[in-house]
Each structure stands twice: as structure tokens, then as C-alpha cells.
Amino acid sequence: MAATATSTALKRLDLRDPAALFETHGTEEIRGLERQVRAEIEHKKEELRQMVGERYRDLIEAADTIGQMRRCAEGLVDAVQATDQYCARLRQAGSATTRPPRDPQPQPSQQKFYSMAAQIKLLLEIPEKIWSAMESSQYLHATQLYLLCCHLHSLLQLDSSGSRYSPVLSRFPILIRQVAAASHFRSTILHESKMLLKCQAVPDQAVAEALCSIMLLEESSPRQALTDFLMARKAAIQKLLNQPHHGAGIKAQICSIVELLATTLNQAHALFYTLPEGLLPDPSLPCGLLFSTLETITGQHPTEKGIGVLQEEMKLCSWFKHLPASIVEFQPALRTLAHPISQEYLTDTLQKWIHMCNEDIKNGITNLLMFVKSMKGLAGIRDAVWELLTNESTSHSWDVVCRRLLEKPFLFWEDLMQQLFLDRLQTLTKEGFDSISTSSRELLISALQELESSTSKSTSNKHIHFEHNMSLFLWSESPNDLPSDAAWVNVANRDQFAGSGLSMKAQAVSPCVQNFCAALDSKLKVKLDDLLAYLPSDDSSLLKDVSPVQAKNCAFDRYADAETVQEMLQTHSVACIKHIMDCIRAELQSIEEVVQGQQNALSGVKLHAALFMGRLCQSLGELCPHLKQCILGKSGSSEKPARESRALIKQGKGKAQKVLPTQAQWQEVKELLLQQSVMGYRVWSSAVVKVLAHGFAQALLLDDAGSVLAMATSWDELEIQEEAESGSSITSKIRLPIQPSWYVQSFLFSLCQEINRVGGHALPKVTLQEMLKSCMAQVVAAYEKLSGENQMKKEGAFPMTQNRALQLLYDLRYLNIVLAAKGEEVKSGRSKQDSRTEKVTDYLEALIDPFDLDVFTPHLNSNLNRLAQRTSVLFGLVTGTESQFTPRSSTFNSQEPHNILPLASSQIRFGLLPLSMTSTRKAKSTSRSVESKAQAAIH
């Protein structure tokens, strides 16, 4: 079809130029084109005929309508002219006759007729008056008019339901429709009055008039009016609770509920409470308004203005004077007297109503709070309620109203809302920290998978590369090594949580650990900032200094549950960190099971994951300051008072204060972190010791001559003076080892190399001590195995000569000096190992001539001391910071030790740096106390 239309359009274009048409088309094509053009002409003609026919019919109908309108207009004009002429003739006839005397006294029959006519006239006008009163929300006046209408029905005998004949209805059939229309007013007025009772922003007088309308229409008592009022307010509360809520509208809904409750009690006092006899009414605190309104409406002597049913404008009508007195002086009346409600009944009814609304309000507010997703939102709602109740207009004479109505104070916050807010706060806190735990677990698993799936050669992530070899990170330069304001901001004035790159390297905190801690700390900060919005601010401590009058004006204490919220925060934050520690513990146990069966564990990726988790647990307390603040509260954010108190305790100027529960909880978390850190490092240290000790034992147990010579080192030749039997002095030369064997040096150097590769300066002291102890145990086991093999005297083995035994004894004693644990806290575990070492030493000494041994021992000890001092820098992390030798500086009378390496009082890695002995001693005592607790908890 599209192709046909296109070709047709092109052919139509060709028709404009017939010459071109005959040049470009053949005869058959031109004839086909002619047929198409003729067919199209016929089609257009048919369309034109149809269009003209349809329009013609419309035109004829329009003309007929216009003609009919003209005839109607002419008839109307003629009627108006005839009416005008008739009125003119009436005016002329009236002016020609004499006027009758003014106000003639009608006959009794005429008076009755006029009275009935006036009543019918009033009856016809009352519906309009009722609708006007209802439109202006004057429901009491509408009720009065309705009751007057009913009174008129009885006077005119318009009750068609009766069996008796009604002459008025027979003469005025229009009144049948009027009676039917009036029957609907009662239900309408009742409905509108009860709807007004559900509104909270309604004046007390309007509520009193609505209740009066209900009482007059239903002929009920004041007690029933009280029930209707309270049920309407209960329905209003349910409507507020069930209306749609969007975001910030929840705060408005809860405030509206509180305001409605307060308004209900205030209006119950203003409407139903009556003062005991002898008490003067308070103009600012109205009461008994319902009874005064009822007395005014149903009284026998209404005042001049605004009390009568028929208003002043109706009295000006000419037919008003013909109304009977029973209608002019009509007043509604109750079937029974409206007795005031007793104090006991009013109190009991209100308490039951509050109890009945209590469950609805709690359930409704609980459902509303489900849509509040932040603690800041909860705090905003609480503060809005506090401001609403503290407002002067709301809290004015509130205590007096509660005491009169309930005989006790009514506490909105404490009785209704506080526990609901705490429950929602508990839920939000639990959900928040559960989310943090889950995300941290996922982040941990992701980091471990990234570590295990990458190798140090193929990885493209620089941070993962640093995890494989911490020394690369420690000795690499970065723009973030120093803070940007390091040049002009003093250290004491810097941000407490700001850490430079150098400080992270000094603590051997890898970038992956920094990223994990930063992610966790940022989440904790968001959660903490959100929760702090619910707690008093730093300036709220000033609230304690407010006067009692100001405190009394406050509706409730907003921060009374601050301690509960702090405990909630502490509980969930501790549970969160324990959950993370449980995940780390499970991962470490799985890694430990895998590593135990591997021979090449040092080259595997599992150890990198264990080291990562060890560093993570070690750094979590320092790099996540908001974790500490979550557990300690706001007291944990400032460290200065704690430091000052510790300084006073150390100086003897103060007594040790009792440890707070929050501080004990934080200490428990720190110990838990330290235990997990030590556990992670223990997986690594066990694998390192196992591999290195295996190589050491293999080299030690090689008993062929080539291997023994290959491991030998240089000996020192000494001249000694001996006394011969003749008393003369004889000079002789002895040869003693001054260096350990090559496999010993390789073992110690490899051990230090592995320690330095993982940032050994930041390893926990417990880990180093356990590592050295394990190394020494493996070394002694290797020597015991050597002694056992030599005693078996294998064939082809190199004999145990005195020189070899002397070298082995030198190696063993040197290893014992370097690897033996020096801390006081491990002295109890040294006896068993020392006994094994002594047995091996006795075995080696038995292979040496006793006379030579006595001569060699002093010089051998001197060589050992000299060697230990020389290698203390090379093996600094292994030898530790404890003093192993008697310092030579003690022979001098100088009070400060010389800053010379051989004379140093402690063998540290950088021995030439000056050290303060006081600070060193303090650091020792502090580290020992903390790590001894951790070691005791582990073992």
C-alpha cells in the first residue's frame, strides 16, 4: 500500500507537466495513469456529496431550533406584558377605592385562620433556616429549629402516619413534601454534631453546643453525653493512628495524638466537671459549660438576645404577630432533669477511657515508629512532644485539671511513649550493629580472598603486595607520611584521631588494615552520631543548674533514659566486635589446620591472611576511636582526665579510683583483641619456627666430614701462662671458637629476617617470647636427637671429636643466651627447658677433656659475651631490650651510662640513640602488665 501511494504521488507530480509525462512514460503507463486519475475524481465527488448531505441535515435542525426559540421568546414577552397590564389595572382600582381603617380587629374565625396561615408560613421557612444554621456550624440553633418544626407538626396535626384525618394536609398537599423533608434533619444534625466531637481544634463552647444538640435530639442524659464525647475522641485517635503517613508526617501524627489527648482532658474538665460548693470559679479555668448551656437553652425565662428559637429578623415579618404564644415562647425541654455528674463517676469513666485508649495508642505509635529509620528522627519526635507539652498554652493549669479529673498526674511520656521509643531505639541499634557486623564480615572475607587469590609477583594491587612483605611498606616513601600541617601545627594541637603515614609504619599497620579499620570506624561514626542525637549534648549539663521553677515548667525529662541508651549502645557495640572476633577466630582456626600439614608454609598465602588478621586485631582498638567511644560513652572521647589521674597515682598524690563498669568493659574488649592478635601471630610464628627449626636440625644432624667442615667457622688462638710441676711458667697456645657455626648464624639471621619482614618492631611481646621459647625448644630437641644418634654410633658417621664437641657447646650456649626468655613473667616455665639444656650441655662437656674444659671455660665465656654484644644489633628483635650482661659502665662513678654501643645498658636495634632510663623502665612495666594478662588468658 505504501509503495502504491508513493507511485501515485509521483504520477500526480508528473501531471503538472504533460510533455515530461509523455517523455518519461509509455502509452500503457499513461493510460493506467488516466484510469487512476478518473477513479480518484469519482471518489472525491462521492465524498463531496456525502459531506453536503450531512451538513445540510445539521443546518435544517439548527434552523428549526432557532425558530422554536423565537416563538418561545415571543410568547414569554407577551405574558410579561399581559402581567404588567393587569398589575397596572389593579393599582388604578386600588387607588379609586377608600382605604379601610388601620389594623381592624379580625374576627375569631379569621384569627384562627391567620394563626394557622402564619404557622404554615413558619413551617415552610424553617428548613431554609435549618440549612443556614448547619452551614454556619450552629448545630444547637439548628436543633432548636428542628424541635420547633416538630412542635408545629403536632399543632397542625400533620402526622400523616396516624389514622385520623388531617384537614390541613387535605387543603395544602405541599405540606406532605415538607413533612417528609423535615424528617431527615434529625439524622443530619446528629451526624454533623458527632463529627464535630471528633475534631480537636474546636472551642469548648462549640463542643458544648454539639453535645446539647445530641442530648436534645436523643433525649439522653449527661452521662450518656460524656460517653458519646469520649467515644468520639477515641474514634478520632484511631483515625489519626490509621491515616496515611509519609516521612515527616509521623512526627505530626504523634504530636496530634498527644494534643488530642490533652485537649480531651481539658474539654472534659470544661464541660462536665462541676465545682464543689463553696469554691469560687477560676475565670482562666472554665468548668460545667455543658450544664450552663443546657440551663440556658431549656430555661423558662430566656434572655433578650440570642436565646429564643425565633431570631429577631423573623419577628419583623408581618405574619409573626399571628403566631400563638406556644410557638413564640417555644423552648426545648429534656425528658429528665440533667443532673451534674459526680466526681467519682467522672474520674472512673475517664480512667477507664484512658486505659481503653492506652493499648490502641501504644499499638498505633509502635506501628508509626516502624517507619522511623533513624535515631535522629526519634529524637526529633520526642523533642516535638516535649515542646508541645511544655508550651504554656498546653500545660496551663494542667496539674489542676489532672488532679480534679484523675486524682493523679497524667504522664504522657512516661506512661505511654517512653518505653515505645526505647524499644524502637533498641531495634534500630540492633539492626544497625547487625548490619555493621555483617558488612565487616563480608569485608573481612573479601580481603582474605583477595590475599589468597593474589601472589606477590602477579598482584596488581600495591596494598596486597605490602601485605605479603611488610618491610616493603615500612621502607617505602609516601606523600602521606607526614600530615599536611606538620610544619606549622604543634603535635599537642593536632586532631586526636589523625594519624600520619609514619605513625602507621611505626605501628606496622598495613594499608589493608587501615582501610578495614577506616571502613569500620566510619560506620561506627555514622551510628554513633545518629545515636548521640537522642542523648543530651555537651551543653545539656547546664540543665542541672536550672531553677526548680524552670524544671517544674518542663513537661518531662527528655534525657532521663540516657543511661539506658548508653548501656544499650555499649551492649550492641561489644556484641558487634565480638561477632567480628568470632569470624576472625574461625578463619584463624581453619588457616591453622591447613598450615599444620604444609611443608612449605612460609611460601603459602595462608600465612599472609593470618598476619593480616593479627595486625587487624592489634590495631582495631587504636584505629577505630569511635568503637571506644561507643563503649565508654562521651567519657571515652577525652583522655586527659584519665592520664592525669594515672599520673597522680604513680606519684603517690592520689589514690586509685574504682574502675567504672564501662572502663572494665573496654578493658575486656582490648584483652579480647589482644588475644585474637596473639592467636593470629601464633599461627605465623609456629609455621616460621617449624620451617627454620627443621632446616637447623637437618644441618646439625649432618655427620659426614664434608658437612662438618662446611659448617665450621674461624677459631681464635690464645696464649696462656701455665705453671709447671717444677714451678716455672710455661706458655702454651689454645684454640677456641669465636663464632657460631654457619647453620646457627643462618638460623638466627633467617629468624630475624622473617620477623623483620612482618614488621617485628610492632609484634606483641608475648608473641616474641613464645617464638623464642619455641625456637629454643626445637633447638634443644635437635641437640638431644644428635646426642642420641652419637650414642648409637652409626657406621660411617664422622666421629665426635673434642673440637666438634667444643664448637657444638659454644653454639648451644650462644643460642641459649640469644633465645632464652628473659622476662620475669616466664621464669616459672624455664625450669623444664633449662634441665633439658643442662643435660645436653653435660653430654657435650663429657666429650671434652676435663682439664682442657677447666682451662677453656673462662675464655669461652669471654668469647660468648663478646659475641653476644657484637651481634645484639644484628639480632636486636631476637635479643630483646632486657639487659643480658653486666654493663661495664658500672665500674665508673658516672650516674648516666655512656652512649657507646658496648657500654649500652640495653641491647636495642638502634643502640647509638640516646634513651631515657626512666621512660624505658615505665614502658617495660606497662607492657609487662598488659601482656602478662593476655598470656594468662591465653594459657
mmCIF file of all heavy atoms in Angstrom, residues 21-43:
data_model
loop_
_atom_site.group_PDB
_atom_site.id
_atom_site.type_symbol
_atom_site.label_atom_id
_atom_site.label_comp_id
_atom_site.label_asym_id
_atom_site.label_seq_id
_atom_site.Cartn_x
_atom_site.Cartn_y
_atom_site.Cartn_z
ATOM 1 N N LEU A 21 5.610 14.085 -19.053
ATOM 2 C CA LEU A 21 4.937 12.817 -18.812
ATOM 3 C C LEU A 21 5.075 11.903 -20.030
ATOM 4 O O LEU A 21 5.381 10.712 -19.903
ATOM 5 C CB LEU A 21 3.459 13.090 -18.504
ATOM 6 C CG LEU A 21 2.589 11.873 -18.205
ATOM 7 C CD1 LEU A 21 3.057 11.181 -16.933
ATOM 8 C CD2 LEU A 21 1.133 12.281 -18.063
ATOM 9 N N PHE A 22 4.822 12.463 -21.213
ATOM 10 C CA PHE A 22 4.941 11.644 -22.418
ATOM 11 C C PHE A 22 6.392 11.295 -22.720
ATOM 12 O O PHE A 22 6.667 10.327 -23.423
ATOM 13 C CB PHE A 22 4.311 12.379 -23.607
ATOM 14 C CG PHE A 22 2.794 12.274 -23.616
ATOM 15 C CD1 PHE A 22 2.006 13.249 -23.062
ATOM 16 C CD2 PHE A 22 2.176 11.154 -24.193
ATOM 17 C CE1 PHE A 22 0.631 13.137 -23.074
ATOM 18 C CE2 PHE A 22 0.791 11.063 -24.199
ATOM 19 C CZ PHE A 22 -0.001 12.047 -23.635
ATOM 20 N N GLU A 23 7.349 12.099 -22.228
ATOM 21 C CA GLU A 23 8.756 11.792 -22.487
ATOM 22 C C GLU A 23 9.250 10.655 -21.589
ATOM 23 O O GLU A 23 10.113 9.873 -21.987
ATOM 24 C CB GLU A 23 9.607 13.044 -22.263
ATOM 25 C CG GLU A 23 9.388 14.116 -23.316
ATOM 26 C CD GLU A 23 10.188 15.371 -22.999
ATOM 27 O OE1 GLU A 23 10.885 15.362 -21.943
ATOM 28 O OE2 GLU A 23 10.136 16.326 -23.760
ATOM 29 N N THR A 24 8.714 10.580 -20.395
ATOM 30 C CA THR A 24 9.232 9.605 -19.413
ATOM 31 C C THR A 24 8.397 8.347 -19.297
ATOM 32 O O THR A 24 8.853 7.365 -18.702
ATOM 33 C CB THR A 24 9.300 10.261 -18.029
ATOM 34 O OG1 THR A 24 7.997 10.747 -17.665
ATOM 35 C CG2 THR A 24 10.281 11.416 -18.024
ATOM 36 N N HIS A 25 7.206 8.296 -19.805
ATOM 37 C CA HIS A 25 6.339 7.129 -19.650
ATOM 38 C C HIS A 25 5.869 6.659 -21.024
ATOM 39 O O HIS A 25 5.745 7.441 -21.977
ATOM 40 C CB HIS A 25 5.124 7.466 -18.789
ATOM 41 C CG HIS A 25 5.486 7.875 -17.391
ATOM 42 N ND1 HIS A 25 5.816 6.958 -16.419
ATOM 43 C CD2 HIS A 25 5.578 9.107 -16.807
ATOM 44 C CE1 HIS A 25 6.087 7.579 -15.301
ATOM 45 N NE2 HIS A 25 5.966 8.914 -15.509
ATOM 46 N N GLY A 26 5.530 5.383 -21.038
ATOM 47 C CA GLY A 26 4.998 4.799 -22.278
ATOM 48 C C GLY A 26 3.499 4.973 -22.377
ATOM 49 O O GLY A 26 2.838 5.537 -21.487
ATOM 50 N N THR A 27 2.921 4.413 -23.483
ATOM 51 C CA THR A 27 1.487 4.585 -23.732
ATOM 52 C C THR A 27 0.661 3.854 -22.684
ATOM 53 O O THR A 27 -0.326 4.388 -22.157
ATOM 54 C CB THR A 27 1.149 4.058 -25.137
ATOM 55 O OG1 THR A 27 1.975 4.708 -26.093
ATOM 56 C CG2 THR A 27 -0.311 4.322 -25.472
ATOM 57 N N GLU A 28 1.041 2.603 -22.363
ATOM 58 C CA GLU A 28 0.282 1.832 -21.379
ATOM 59 C C GLU A 28 0.317 2.495 -20.008
ATOM 60 O O GLU A 28 -0.668 2.524 -19.276
ATOM 61 C CB GLU A 28 0.843 0.408 -21.306
ATOM 62 C CG GLU A 28 0.648 -0.409 -22.577
ATOM 63 C CD GLU A 28 -0.830 -0.582 -22.901
ATOM 64 O OE1 GLU A 28 -1.657 -0.628 -21.954
ATOM 65 O OE2 GLU A 28 -1.163 -0.688 -24.089
ATOM 66 N N GLU A 29 1.469 3.024 -19.651
ATOM 67 C CA GLU A 29 1.585 3.695 -18.351
ATOM 68 C C GLU A 29 0.719 4.947 -18.294
ATOM 69 O O GLU A 29 0.081 5.244 -17.273
ATOM 70 C CB GLU A 29 3.049 4.054 -18.077
ATOM 71 C CG GLU A 29 3.935 2.838 -17.872
ATOM 72 C CD GLU A 29 5.381 3.245 -17.637
ATOM 73 O OE1 GLU A 29 5.686 4.438 -17.820
ATOM 74 O OE2 GLU A 29 6.191 2.366 -17.287
ATOM 75 N N ILE A 30 0.656 5.667 -19.429
ATOM 76 C CA ILE A 30 -0.154 6.900 -19.446
ATOM 77 C C ILE A 30 -1.628 6.537 -19.344
ATOM 78 O O ILE A 30 -2.410 7.194 -18.637
ATOM 79 C CB ILE A 30 0.140 7.719 -20.732
ATOM 80 C CG1 ILE A 30 1.584 8.249 -20.653
ATOM 81 C CG2 ILE A 30 -0.842 8.854 -20.893
ATOM 82 C CD1 ILE A 30 2.027 8.950 -21.914
ATOM 83 N N ARG A 31 -2.059 5.447 -20.016
ATOM 84 C CA ARG A 31 -3.454 5.033 -19.914
ATOM 85 C C ARG A 31 -3.795 4.563 -18.491
ATOM 86 O O ARG A 31 -4.883 4.842 -17.973
ATOM 87 C CB ARG A 31 -3.718 3.919 -20.919
ATOM 88 C CG ARG A 31 -3.755 4.419 -22.371
ATOM 89 C CD ARG A 31 -3.934 3.248 -23.337
ATOM 90 N NE ARG A 31 -3.967 3.727 -24.720
ATOM 91 C CZ ARG A 31 -3.988 2.941 -25.780
ATOM 92 N NH1 ARG A 31 -3.949 1.612 -25.602
ATOM 93 N NH2 ARG A 31 -4.025 3.444 -27.001
ATOM 94 N N GLY A 32 -2.868 3.829 -17.875
ATOM 95 C CA GLY A 32 -3.088 3.432 -16.475
ATOM 96 C C GLY A 32 -3.210 4.645 -15.564
ATOM 97 O O GLY A 32 -4.024 4.692 -14.638
ATOM 98 N N LEU A 33 -2.373 5.636 -15.823
ATOM 99 C CA LEU A 33 -2.425 6.857 -15.036
ATOM 100 C C LEU A 33 -3.744 7.579 -15.234
ATOM 101 O O LEU A 33 -4.327 8.136 -14.281
ATOM 102 C CB LEU A 33 -1.236 7.760 -15.421
ATOM 103 C CG LEU A 33 -1.093 9.075 -14.657
ATOM 104 C CD1 LEU A 33 -0.931 8.790 -13.155
ATOM 105 C CD2 LEU A 33 0.101 9.861 -15.144
ATOM 106 N N GLU A 34 -4.255 7.549 -16.464
ATOM 107 C CA GLU A 34 -5.540 8.201 -16.743
ATOM 108 C C GLU A 34 -6.652 7.508 -15.968
ATOM 109 O O GLU A 34 -7.534 8.166 -15.390
ATOM 110 C CB GLU A 34 -5.806 8.149 -18.254
ATOM 111 C CG GLU A 34 -7.126 8.808 -18.648
ATOM 112 C CD GLU A 34 -7.438 8.623 -20.132
ATOM 113 O OE1 GLU A 34 -6.658 7.913 -20.800
ATOM 114 O OE2 GLU A 34 -8.425 9.178 -20.602
ATOM 115 N N ARG A 35 -6.646 6.171 -15.951
ATOM 116 C CA ARG A 35 -7.680 5.446 -15.222
ATOM 117 C C ARG A 35 -7.638 5.770 -13.725
ATOM 118 O O ARG A 35 -8.664 5.926 -13.084
ATOM 119 C CB ARG A 35 -7.505 3.932 -15.452
ATOM 120 C CG ARG A 35 -7.911 3.487 -16.850
ATOM 121 C CD ARG A 35 -8.005 1.967 -16.899
ATOM 122 N NE ARG A 35 -6.724 1.345 -16.645
ATOM 123 C CZ ARG A 35 -5.836 1.041 -17.598
ATOM 124 N NH1 ARG A 35 -6.103 1.320 -18.875
ATOM 125 N NH2 ARG A 35 -4.707 0.454 -17.307
ATOM 126 N N GLN A 36 -6.433 5.872 -13.163
ATOM 127 C CA GLN A 36 -6.307 6.195 -11.737
ATOM 128 C C GLN A 36 -6.832 7.596 -11.437
ATOM 129 O O GLN A 36 -7.525 7.824 -10.433
ATOM 130 C CB GLN A 36 -4.835 6.098 -11.302
ATOM 131 C CG GLN A 36 -4.311 4.666 -11.300
ATOM 132 C CD GLN A 36 -2.847 4.596 -10.886
ATOM 133 O OE1 GLN A 36 -2.273 5.624 -10.539
ATOM 134 N NE2 GLN A 36 -2.264 3.418 -10.970
ATOM 135 N N VAL A 37 -6.548 8.538 -12.325
ATOM 136 C CA VAL A 37 -6.993 9.914 -12.091
ATOM 137 C C VAL A 37 -8.509 9.989 -12.169
ATOM 138 O O VAL A 37 -9.167 10.655 -11.348
ATOM 139 C CB VAL A 37 -6.320 10.864 -13.106
ATOM 140 C CG1 VAL A 37 -6.932 12.254 -13.036
ATOM 141 C CG2 VAL A 37 -4.823 10.936 -12.838
ATOM 142 N N ARG A 38 -9.106 9.285 -13.151
ATOM 143 C CA ARG A 38 -10.560 9.310 -13.253
ATOM 144 C C ARG A 38 -11.231 8.657 -12.031
ATOM 145 O O ARG A 38 -12.259 9.134 -11.537
ATOM 146 C CB ARG A 38 -10.995 8.606 -14.534
ATOM 147 C CG ARG A 38 -10.616 9.368 -15.807
ATOM 148 C CD ARG A 38 -11.189 8.671 -17.043
ATOM 149 N NE ARG A 38 -10.790 9.363 -18.247
ATOM 150 C CZ ARG A 38 -11.408 10.454 -18.744
ATOM 151 N NH1 ARG A 38 -12.452 10.951 -18.080
ATOM 152 N NH2 ARG A 38 -10.981 11.016 -19.863
ATOM 153 N N ALA A 39 -10.641 7.551 -11.564
ATOM 154 C CA ALA A 39 -11.207 6.902 -10.370
ATOM 155 C C ALA A 39 -11.123 7.806 -9.153
ATOM 156 O O ALA A 39 -12.050 7.875 -8.337
ATOM 157 C CB ALA A 39 -10.457 5.588 -10.112
ATOM 158 N N GLU A 40 -10.035 8.523 -9.017
ATOM 159 C CA GLU A 40 -9.882 9.437 -7.886
ATOM 160 C C GLU A 40 -10.870 10.585 -7.979
ATOM 161 O O GLU A 40 -11.413 11.045 -6.965
ATOM 162 C CB GLU A 40 -8.439 9.957 -7.845
ATOM 163 C CG GLU A 40 -8.148 10.765 -6.589
ATOM 164 C CD GLU A 40 -6.697 11.153 -6.495
ATOM 165 O OE1 GLU A 40 -5.905 10.740 -7.388
ATOM 166 O OE2 GLU A 40 -6.354 11.862 -5.546
ATOM 167 N N ILE A 41 -11.160 11.040 -9.212
ATOM 168 C CA ILE A 41 -12.132 12.135 -9.386
ATOM 169 C C ILE A 41 -13.512 11.675 -8.926
ATOM 170 O O ILE A 41 -14.226 12.389 -8.203
ATOM 171 C CB ILE A 41 -12.153 12.592 -10.867
ATOM 172 C CG1 ILE A 41 -10.837 13.313 -11.198
ATOM 173 C CG2 ILE A 41 -13.339 13.508 -11.137
ATOM 174 C CD1 ILE A 41 -10.673 13.625 -12.677
ATOM 175 N N GLU A 42 -13.891 10.463 -9.287
ATOM 176 C CA GLU A 42 -15.178 9.935 -8.873
ATOM 177 C C GLU A 42 -15.262 9.783 -7.349
ATOM 178 O O GLU A 42 -16.299 10.062 -6.722
ATOM 179 C CB GLU A 42 -15.438 8.585 -9.556
ATOM 180 C CG GLU A 42 -15.627 8.663 -11.055
ATOM 181 C CD GLU A 42 -16.834 9.514 -11.432
ATOM 182 O OE1 GLU A 42 -17.830 9.515 -10.646
ATOM 183 O OE2 GLU A 42 -16.796 10.170 -12.485
ATOM 184 N N HIS A 43 -14.163 9.329 -6.764
ATOM 185 C CA HIS A 43 -14.128 9.188 -5.296
ATOM 186 C C HIS A 43 -14.310 10.531 -4.601
ATOM 187 O O HIS A 43 -15.050 10.643 -3.614
ATOM 188 C CB HIS A 43 -12.799 8.534 -4.882
ATOM 189 C CG HIS A 43 -12.663 8.341 -3.396
ATOM 190 N ND1 HIS A 43 -13.431 7.420 -2.695
ATOM 191 C CD2 HIS A 43 -11.846 8.946 -2.490
ATOM 192 C CE1 HIS A 43 -13.115 7.477 -1.431
ATOM 193 N NE2 HIS A 43 -12.137 8.400 -1.281
#
